[in-house]
Every structure is written in structure tokens, then in C-alpha cells.
């Protein structure tokens, strides 16, 4: 066993022995132009020797593994016990001798920085910044031994354990090495990001500096001076500089440790522009050897920069690969599909098989490259016009890029390419029979697909799915189908534009209430009917309140349970193919997890009266009819009244006849996906039984063609599966941008409004009306504790959220547009709704009282509603709000 290794003799190929931090430093010692302080490493073998046989160590790890992720108190208690146990263990005699010898080889009185270097640290997908401990200005062998033991114990800080759990890392699978590095008595210290950690722009370097040691920056004791450097054509230019108030610096204390010293607040700049550019060039030297943008800690001593550690910037959103040097502009598919969560490889590949447009992948999300469309006048104008109707924030983000002049504008081709989403056909006259015909054709097509696919196994299954994909695509792109819902959407825009001009109001919201043939709205109302069927049976209701995943199996054991079960199964027969995030075929469907519906059903039982579904629909229809008659009467009374009224009546009839169908093509697609999913999961089970896969969900981390190959050959790359699982866990917390460039810049756009009151949040007005209510910040529909009068606040709502709409009084989402599913259903139910509210799930406290104005697009936080708080709703997990750049704990 080697307890001590020199850092200059290790590299990333020995991360398991020396940890991530030491491995990176080892690589840098061999990088020309990079100075690294002399250092050595106490290996993971030494850590394992120290904890081997420690009484109770394995038992504590078992207890830790048995705790739920939500049990923070239990986790903290067990982690504290492990830390105390490890800190009390003596350093093994042989290990102590090697450490003491390494210290003794340096001149007497040499000061050291002792830094943790865990095997799960400084990974491409997990930096573990600040999760374990480091110590500065440690003098003498005994002090180094004490600090090494403290670093070992810090493998089990509360924050490190919690971070590992979030990433799905096993506490038993990690180990701690320790870097012992000669201390640099720095005049200035700081951090250097080789990409902008806020915008992800890879052409930007960010530099921060404080006087003295970097501990002042890490601990938040002082604010840092900062510089932004942009790299263009090989030239580094300082484009921004800021100076922070300066009061103290951290310096080495005599005999060991650190102390704070006052500094002159009006001293000279810590770095010159030449030094800032030199640091930017240093970052460009470090990054290629380590394979990704880096977060570098540096020291300046005697006019010389030295790198004391470097780790990947794990918060950056990944960038799609390109095969040229020009700037590419990508639009998020997730913001258009109301599903911004990361998708697994199987889901990504099946979606790309479904859509006719080529897509790029980044961060588990899909993007469309619109660079070529933006390069011609007609393409640019058409794309901006379509986006302006659907997502003003995306439009603004694209304009931000275009305003820089970085996307060259050429000439239109002789035959301009069609713009996706732009009207291409004449509108239809109202014809309910056409809608009924299209729905029947789609249902028959799904049924035929099920007959062709169900029961197939092995390569035949994949052939059957591949042969069915063209039919799915043909259904999604059926010109008759597209013409139906485009007629409705264009009618809505026409009504709001022209009636708005003539009467000063936007009436399309009220006109779409209880429109016929809206499968998404019908789904929500049908769940009210399920509640009606169950409500008369108290024993069945009581069982639902305490039921688990086996709810359907348990129901027949009580009075009325069979009726309840049949009602739920009937609903699942109609709508069970849906789920939250349903465009991802790897997501479990409702018919697989019916217990997810129980909270919604119980909410309806407790708060609604029998027949509520029919009454709601009838009320909405009457309101729409009354709005129609009122509008036409007022138009007839005005200038050119009869002509305006006749034209408006035609548009209203087009809108009400066809807008409900807007939801059906996606429902038919999702129903087909459920057929594919069931067959693919059965095949995954067969592969598990054959030893090809370890778990059926391994199939989610293979693309469709890879899963097909595994089925054909009887072999799957399980190492690739494990890698992709880790990547998926890392992608989850990332917030995808609406617009992404090939430089890595993430843009979300802005509304540029000057009428937003203090404390209010601006969004896109999509369903008129004003309501005040308790905000319920919900991430998981199955755990939503919603009551009548609540305002639902969530990241996005795809059609699967519609059953919750019959309870709530208003809707606020971070994602959406005027014609996206949540907006359409909110208008049909008459719910005031504001979508596209950036960071709503973070900025609106759960349980607070809010006012939602669906006409102006404003959400106001009025205060805490103390009368009703609690519940199972939690803000969306993910990356924390950006703090001061460079601030961390080690």
C-alpha cells in the first residue's frame, strides 16, 4: 500500500487512488505554462486502512443507507456519528510514518495547505465544491496528521452526504484522499472561471480577486473585485470591471492558522488589466488538458500566478456539438412542449424518431437549430412572427442574439423554406363532423398499432415499432388535422385583434369555455365523475385515504370498493396513457401508477358536490354563448355593424368548433407511446431474465437502436448505462434555456415592461380574470394538496395536469404560451392564468397569498396566508439561485 504519492506522479487515471482534486493538480503539473505549488497526496488506501475495523462504522453506514432522502434530522445525526468515529481513529502507524517523512523532506517550518480530495470530488458532473474540509497554513507533522484525520471525517459532513444522495452516489462507494500542498503566502488570491457561470457563455472568462488568502472570498468575509473578459478571434478583452469595498484580508498567522488584518479601503486595484488578461490566458491553457470549462483557484505571490486547485464548472448547461466554426442558435423544444425536465436516452431517441425536424441534444433536452432560418430575411421574419405569438420571452432572447449582429443575414432563396408553425392553408368553415371524423380515424390508427405491436418480442418488436413510426408521423402532420387547429388558432388571434380594436377587449378567453371535443378538459371533468361514483361508499373512501400502490387490489375488500375500482379503471382505460412529462416514453403512465390519482380523487370527494363535472361544463358553455351574443349585439350597434358582426360570428364559430381538437393529436400520440412503452418494457423484462440487463429501467438509458441491438445480440453496455444514469442525475437540476448558442450562452429573455409594481412578477397573460388565493407551489401532481380557491404555481403544465384544474382558482407557470396546453385548458375552465413567469416556483412562497391578473400578466405576492399552510407541496428541486461568483467553502 502506498500511503503517500507525489502529486506530480499522478493524473486522472488514478482518481480512485488520489481523488479528483489531486488528479487534476497532477495533470496541471505537466501542463506547460501552469505553475502549481509542490504537493503530495495521502491516498485513499490510507483512509481505508484508518476506518477498517472501526467499531460501528459499517453499522452506521447501514443506518445512513436506510434513511429516506427527506429525513434530514436523521441523516444529520448519523453523519455526525460517523464523523466523530472517523476523527477519533488513530492514523495507522505506517501511514503516519509516511506522512511524517513527507513533511520532513521539506525545510523546517514549511507551512502546508491540507485539502480534501474525495473520489467523488471534482467530477465532470459533480464538483462537491464546499462539501468537504480544507485547512490553510498547517505547520509541523503532528498538525498535518490532525488535519488529515479531519479531512477524512469531512467525507461525512451533512452537506456532502446530502449532495451524494441527490446524485445517487453510494456512501460506501466513496473514499477520501488528502492533498498536502506547500502554502503560498499570497499577495492576492481569487477564482477564475473559464466560462461565465451565470450565462454559460464559453467565450467569457470571469476573474475575481481579494487581498491575501482566498479564504476571505470562500468564507464570504469580503466581496471580491471582479473582471469579465471576452475572447474574440483569439484576442482577450476586458469588457467589465467592478471594485468591491475593501476592509480586511486573511493572512497566514505565525505558527499556523490564519488571521484577519485591516487593509486600506482606497488602495490600488488588486490586478492590472494586463494581469487579468494573463489570468484569462492561463485559464485557456488549463481548460483543454482537463477536458471542460474550469473553476480555478489561483494565488499571486511575488508577481507570479500559481494554481492551487481546479475543478469542472458543473453548473454550466451543456452545448450541442457542431461540425463548423460558425455561431449556431438553438431553440428549446421543452419550452414548446411544456416539458422542460431532462429526458432519458430512450425518451430522447423515440421523440426524435417521432418528429420530422432534426434536433440537437444537450443536458438531456432537445433543441432545434434555427441558424439557417435566421440567416435569410423571410426566414427570420417568419420565425420571429411565429415565436412572437407563442412565447415572447423566446422571441426576445433570439432578438438579443440578432441585435449583436453575430448571425449574418443573407438573401432569400428563390423558394423560401416554410416556417414551422406558420399558417400554410386557407381556414376551414365550421364543421363538427370533420372533427369527429379525425378523432375516429386517430383512435382506429392507435388500435391498429396495438394489434401489430402487442405480443411481439425480440428484433420483431423493434421492426414493428419502426414500421409504425411513419404512421405516427403521418398522423401528427396530417394536413387536414393541422388545418383544423390552425383555423381555430388563427380565429382566436383574429378575434382578439379586431374585436380589441373595435370594442377595446380581448374576448377569445371567454369564448373558448367548454368548447366541444377537448380531450384534455374532458379528462379533468371525468375525474369528477369518478369521485361521484365513489363518494356514496364511506368504506371505499376511507380505504383510499390510507391506500398505497396496491389501491386497486385492495378496493374490492370493502363495501362499494368494486364500484370504486371499476370507476377508476374506466377512467384509466380512457386516459391512463397520460402522465406528467408524457412526451418522454420512459415516464411511467397513470395506468401503471393509479395511486398517483388518489389525492386528486379524494380532493374532489371532499370539496365538490355530485354532478359537478356536468354543471361546470354547462356553465362554461352558457357563459361562452352569452359572450358571443353580447359581442355580436354591440358590434351590430356600431359602425359597419352588420359586416363586422357577421365576420366575427364566423370567427367565433370556427374557434368553438375547432379549438377543442387542438388537444387531440398529442393525446393520440401519447396513446401510441403507451403501446410502444408497454411492449418495450416487456422486452426489457425479457432481457433482465436473460441476464442482458440488470434492471428493467436500464432500458431507459439506452437509445432505441441500442436497445434493439441488445435484443438482437444478447449484449448491452452496462457501463454506458451506469454512466448515463449519473449524467441524467446531474442534468436534472439544470435549468434549460429558452435559447442556447453554440458558444454556450443561455438566454431566457425579458418582457421589458415598465408597469410592473414593486414586488410583482411579470408573465404572459393567457386567460383573463383576476383572482386572489393561497399559492400552492407544486412539483409532483401525485402529491399535490390542492383545495378550492388555491392558485397552482408550478414549472409547467402539460395535459396531464388538467385534472387539477377543476379544483384550483388560478394558474401560474414558469413555462408556456397563449396556445400551449395549460393556457387552452385554463381558458376553457375560466381560470385566470399567467404563464412564462421566470423563477415563479422559487420566488412565490408556498402558502403565501397571491393575486393573479390573467388580463395584465401580473402576479402579486400579498403576504402569508396563515390560515392554511402545510401540505405536501414543495418548490421545484434543482440548482439554487446563483450566489456571488466564486463563493464556496473549500
Amino acid at each position: 500500500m502506498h500511503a503517500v504519492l507525489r502529486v506530480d506522479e499522478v493524473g486522472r487515471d488514478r482518481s480512485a487512488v488520489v481523488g479528483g482534486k489531486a488528479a487534476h493538480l497532477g495533470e496541471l503539473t505537466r501542463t506547460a505554462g501552469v505553475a502549481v505549488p509542490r504537493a503530495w497526496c495521502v491516498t485513499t488506501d490510507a483512509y481505508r486502512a484508518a476506518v477498517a475495523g472501526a467499531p460501528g462504522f459499517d453499522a452506521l453506514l447501514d443506518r445512513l443507507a436506510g434513511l429516506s432522502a427527506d429525513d434530514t434530522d436523521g441523516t444529520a445525526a448519523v453523519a455526525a456519528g460517523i464523523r466523530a468515529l472517523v476523527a477519533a481513529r488513530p492514523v495507522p502507524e505506517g501511514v503516519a510514518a509516511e506522512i511524517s517523512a513527507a513533511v520532513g523532506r521539506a525545510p523546517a517550518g514549511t507551512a502546508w495547505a491540507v485539502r480534501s480530495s474525495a473520489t467523488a470530488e471534482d467530477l465532470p458532473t459533480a464538483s462537491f465544491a464546499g462539501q468537504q474540509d480544507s485547512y490553510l497554513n498547517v505547520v509541523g507533522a503532528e498538525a498535518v496528521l490532525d488535519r488529515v484525520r479531519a479531512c477524512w471525517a469531512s467525507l461525512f459532513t451533512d452537506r456532502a452526504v446530502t449532495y451524494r444522495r441527490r446524485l445517487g452516489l453510494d456512501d460506501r462507494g466513496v473514499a477520501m484522499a488528502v492533498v498536502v500542498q506547500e502554502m503560498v503566502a499570497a499577495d492576492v488570491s481569487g477564482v477564475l472561471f473559464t466560462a461565465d457561470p451565470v450565462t454559460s457563455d464559453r467565450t467569457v472568462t470571469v476573474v475575481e480577486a481579494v487581498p491575501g488568502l482566498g479564504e476571505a472570498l470562500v468564507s464570504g468575509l469580503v466581496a471580491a473585485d471582479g473582471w469579465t473578459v471576452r475572447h474574440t478571434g483569439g484576442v482577450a478583452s476586458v469588457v467589465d470591471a467592478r471594485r468591491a469595498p475593501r476592509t480586511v484580508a486573511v493572512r497566514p498567522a505565525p505558527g499556523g492558522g490564519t488571521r484577519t488584518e485591516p487593509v486600506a479601503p482606497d488602495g490600488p486595484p488588486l490586478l492590472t488589466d494586463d494581469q487579468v488578461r494573463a489570468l484569462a490566458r492561463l485559464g485557456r491553457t488549463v481548460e483543454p488538458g482537463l477536458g471542460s470549462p474550469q473553476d480555478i483557484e489561483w494565488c499571486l505571490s511575488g508577481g507570479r500566478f500559481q494554481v492551487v486547485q481546479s475543478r469542472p464548472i458543473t453548473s454550466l448547461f451543456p452545448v450541442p456539438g457542431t461540425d463548423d466554426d460558425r455561431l449556431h442558435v438553438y431553440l428549446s423544444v421543452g419550452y414548446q412542449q411544456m416539458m422542460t425536465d431532462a429526458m432519458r436516452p430512450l425518451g430522447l431517441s423515440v421523440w426524435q424518431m417521432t418528429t420530422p425536424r432534426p434536433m440537437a441534444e444537450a443536458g438531456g433536452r432537445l433543441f432545434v437549430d434555427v441558424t439557417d432560418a435566421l440567416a435569410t430575411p423571410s426566414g427570420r421574419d417568419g420565425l420571429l412572427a411565429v415565436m412572437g405569438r407563442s412565447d415572447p420571452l423566446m422571441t426576445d432572447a433570439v432578438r438579443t442574439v440578432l441585435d449583436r449582429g453575430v448571425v449574418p443575414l443573407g438573401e432569400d432563396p428563390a423558394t423560401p423554406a416554410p416556417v414551422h408553425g406558420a399558417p400554410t392553408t386557407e381556414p376551414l368553415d365550421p364543421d363538427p363532423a370533420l372533427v369527429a371524423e379525425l378523432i375516429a380515424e386517430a383512435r382506429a390508427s392507435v388500435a391498429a398499432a396495438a394489434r401489430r405491436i402487442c405480443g411481439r418480442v425480440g428484433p420483431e418488436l423493434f421492426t414493428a415499432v419502426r414500421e409504425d413510426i411513419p404512421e405516427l408521423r403521418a398522423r401528427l402532420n396530417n394536413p387536414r388535422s393541422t388545418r383544423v387547429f390552425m383555423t381555430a388558432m388563427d380565429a382566436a388571434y383574429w378575434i382578439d385583434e379586431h374585436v380589441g380594436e373595435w370594442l377595446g377587449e380581448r374576448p377569445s378567453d371567454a369564448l373558448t369555455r367548454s368548447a366541444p371535443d377537448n380531450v384534455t378538459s374532458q379528462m379533468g371533468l371525468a375525474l369528477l365523475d369518478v369521485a361521484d361514483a365513489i363518494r356514496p361508499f364511506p368504506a371505499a373512501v376511507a380505504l383510499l385515504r390510507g391506500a398505497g400502490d396496491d389501491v386497486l387490489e385492495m378496493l374490492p375488500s370493502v363495501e362499494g370498493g368494486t364500484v370504486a375500482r371499476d370507476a377508476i379503471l374506466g377512467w384509466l382505460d380512457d386516459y391512463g396513457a397520460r402522465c406528467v412529462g408524457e412526451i418522454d416514453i420512459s415516464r411511467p403512465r397513470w395506468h401503471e401508477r393509479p395511486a398517483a390519482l388518489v389525492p386528486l380523487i379524494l380532493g374532489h370527494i371532499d370539496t365538490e358536490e355530485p354532478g359537478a363535472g356536468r354543471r361546470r361544463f354547462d356553465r362554461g358553455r352558457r357563459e361562452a354563448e352569452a359572450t358571443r351574443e353580447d359581442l355580436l349585439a354591440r358590434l351590430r350597434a356600431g359602425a359597419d355593424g352588420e359586416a363586422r358582426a357577421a365576420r366575427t360570428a364566423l370567427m367565433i364559430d370556427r374557434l368553438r368548433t375547432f379549438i377543442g381538437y387542438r388537444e387531440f393529436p398529442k393525446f393520440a400520440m401519447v396513446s401510441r407511446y403507451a403501446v410502444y412503452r408497454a411492449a418495450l418494457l416487456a422486452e426489457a423484462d425479457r432481457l433482465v431474465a436473460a441476464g442482458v440487463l440488470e434492471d428493467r429501467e436500464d432500458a431507459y438509458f439506452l437509445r432505441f437502436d441500442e436497445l434493439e441491438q441488445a435484443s438482437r445480440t444478447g449484449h448491452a453496455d452496462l457501463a454506458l448505462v451506469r454512466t448515463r444514469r449519473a449524467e441524467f442525475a446531474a442534468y436534472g437540476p439544470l435549468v434549460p434555456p429558452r435559447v442556447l448558442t453554440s458558444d454556450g450562452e443561455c438566454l431566457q429573455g425579458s418582457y421589458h415592461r415598465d408597469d410592473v409594481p414593486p414586488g410583482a412578477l411579470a408573465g404572459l397573460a393567457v386567460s383573463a380574470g383576476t383572482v386572489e388565493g393561497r399559492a400552492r407551489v407544486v412539483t409532483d401532481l401525485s402529491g399535490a394538496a390542492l383545495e378550492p380557491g388555491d392558485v397552482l404555481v408550478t414549472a409547467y403544465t402539460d395535459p396531464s395536469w388538467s385534472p387539477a384544474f377543476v379544483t384550483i382558482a388560478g394558474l401560474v407557470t414558469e413555462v408556456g404560451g397563449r396556445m400551449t396546453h395549460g393556457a387552452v385548458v385554463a381558458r376553457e375552465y375560466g381560470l385566470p392564468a399567467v404563464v412564462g413567469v421566470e423563477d415563479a416556483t422559487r420566488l412565490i412562497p408556498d402558502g403565501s397569498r397571491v393575486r393573479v391578473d390573467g388580463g395584465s400578466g401580473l402576479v402579486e405576492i400579498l403576504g402569508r396566508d396563515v390560515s392554511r399552510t402545510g401540505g405536501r407541496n414543495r418548490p421545484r428541486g434543482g440548482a439554487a439561485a446563483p450566489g456571488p461568483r466564486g463563493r464556496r467553502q473549500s
Side-chain angles (χ1 to χ4, degrees), residues 687-701:
L687 294 175
V688 171
V692 178
L693 301 178
E694 294 176 348
D695 182 90
R696 71 179 337 210
E697 293 191 3
D698 287 350
Y700 298 160
F701 297 94

Side-chain angles (χ1 to χ4, degrees), residues 383-455:
L383 185 63
L384 291 173
V386 170
M387 287 193 304
R389 282 184 166 188
S390 61
D391 190 339
L393 290 177
M394 186 175 286
T395 307
D396 180 71
V398 170
R399 289 189 184 279
T400 299
V401 176
L402 296 178
D403 288 348
R404 299 171 184 164
V406 293
V407 180
L409 185 62
E411 297 182 355
D412 278 326
T415 305
V419 176
H420 183 69
T424 58
T425 57
E426 289 297 314
L428 293 162
D429 288 333
D431 183 4
L434 175 57
V435 174
E437 180 183 339
L438 288 170
I439 290 174
E441 288 176 358
R443 291 189 186 277
S445 178
V446 173
R451 290 191 297 272
R452 289 191 299 270
I453 292 171
C454 290

Side-chain angles (χ1 to χ4, degrees), residues 378-609:
S378 62
R380 182 174 295 192
D381 291 346
L383 185 63
L384 291 173
V386 170
M387 287 193 304
R389 282 184 166 188
S390 61
D391 190 339
L393 290 177
M394 186 175 286
T395 307
D396 180 71
V398 170
R399 289 189 184 279
T400 299
V401 176
L402 296 178
D403 288 348
R404 299 171 184 164
V406 293
V407 180
L409 185 62
E411 297 182 355
D412 278 326
T415 305
V419 176
H420 183 69
T424 58
T425 57
E426 289 297 314
L428 293 162
D429 288 333
D431 183 4
L434 175 57
V435 174
E437 180 183 339
L438 288 170
I439 290 174
E441 288 176 358
R443 291 189 186 277
S445 178
V446 173
R451 290 191 297 272
R452 289 191 299 270
I453 292 171
C454 290
R456 299 288 185 97
V457 298
E460 287 187 1
L461 166 62
F462 294 90
T463 299
V465 173
R466 286 188 184 279
E467 290 177 348
D468 189 69
I469 290 290
E471 170 70 8
L472 168 58
R473 294 174 65 166
R475 288 286 160 192
L476 287 174
N477 299 285
N478 182 342
R480 289 198 307 156
S481 175
T482 302
R483 193 175 175 191
V484 165
F485 61 74
M486 288 304 299
T487 294
M489 293 168 68
D490 290 341
Y493 293 129
W494 188 97
I495 291 168
D496 284 343
E497 178 183 350
H498 290 83
V499 176
E501 176 186 345
W502 299 332
L503 299 180
E505 59 188 82
R506 192 185 69 189
S508 68
D509 293 357
L511 291 168
T512 57
R513 290 177 187 168
S514 296
D517 302 311
N518 187 321
V519 67
T520 303
S521 299
Q522 291 167 352
M523 176 176 65
L525 297 175
L527 202 62
L528 287 168
D529 296 339
V530 173
D532 287 350
I534 300 173
R535 190 181 292 109
F537 302 104
V541 173
L543 189 145
L544 287 178
R545 295 194 193 282
D549 292 339
D550 59 350
V551 57
L552 294 185
E553 291 78 9
M554 295 295 295
L555 274 171
S557 65
V558 300
E559 183 182 2
T562 300
V563 173
R565 182 198 60 187
D566 291 347
I568 295 172
L569 287 174
W571 190 92
L572 290 172
D573 284 344
D574 291 335
Y575 307 109
R578 311 210 85 150
C579 68
V580 175
E582 59 196 11
I583 68 169
D584 183 355
I585 200 173
S586 73
R587 294 282 188 107
R589 310 288 125 169
W590 276 335
H591 64 73
E592 299 171 49
R593 296 184 179 178
L597 299 170
V598 169
L600 295 171
I601 295 171
L602 288 173
H604 296 338
I605 289 172
D606 292 339
T607 61
E608 300 288 350
E609 294 295 325

Side-chain angles (χ1 to χ4, degrees), residues 112-295:
W112 306 90
V114 182
R115 305 177 186 273
S116 63
S117 182
T119 53
E121 190 171 344
D122 295 354
L123 301 175
T125 56
S127 72
F128 277 81
Q131 308 304 311
Q132 286 102 201
D133 293 342
S134 296
Y135 302 91
L136 301 181
N137 201 37
V138 181
V139 180
E142 286 302 317
V144 169
L145 286 168
D146 286 343
R147 294 312 189 192
V148 166
R149 197 163 48 237
C151 284
W152 287 342
S154 74
L155 186 61
F156 293 95
T157 62
D158 296 353
R159 56 187 181 270
V161 171
T162 301
Y163 194 61
R164 283 195 292 271
R165 289 192 164 200
R166 182 171 69 79
L167 295 174
L169 299 175
D170 186 354
D171 291 306
R172 291 185 179 277
V174 296
M176 179 67 80
V178 181
V179 174
V180 183
Q181 188 177 59
E182 284 192 5
M183 186 72 190
V184 178
D187 304 312
V188 180
S189 301
V191 292
L192 159 65
F193 297 94
T194 65
D196 191 317
V198 175
T199 69
S200 293
D201 192 340
R202 271 67 164 180
T203 67
V204 168
T205 293
V206 175
V207 175
E208 295 188 338
V210 296
L213 301 178
E215 185 178 339
L217 176 59
V218 168
S219 64
L221 183 64
V222 298
D225 290 0
W227 296 263
T228 301
V229 180
R230 183 170 291 279
H231 302 263
T232 306
V235 177
S237 304
V238 179
V239 296
D240 183 56
R242 67 180 189 280
R243 179 164 177 175
R246 199 177 301 158
T247 56
V248 297
V250 174
R251 310 279 187 190
T258 60
R259 67 183 182 187
T260 59
E261 296 179 356
V263 296
D266 55 352
L270 295 175
L271 298 173
T272 66
D273 279 2
D274 284 344
Q275 288 175 317
V276 171
R277 284 189 288 268
L279 277 171
R281 289 192 294 272
L282 175 64
R284 287 297 190 257
T285 300
V286 167
E287 182 181 299
L290 296 182
S292 66
Q294 294 289 301
D295 168 0

Side-chain angles (χ1 to χ4, degrees), residues 657-689:
T657 300
F658 294 138
I659 193 62
Y661 179 75
R662 164 77 172 79
E663 297 291 303
F664 198 85
K666 186 173 186 179
F667 175 74
M669 180 200 76
V670 169
S671 298
R672 215 177 197 99
Y673 270 19
V675 173
Y676 297 169
R677 174 180 165 83
L680 292 173
L681 280 181
E683 180 65 11
D685 289 339
R686 189 183 72 82
L687 294 175
V688 171

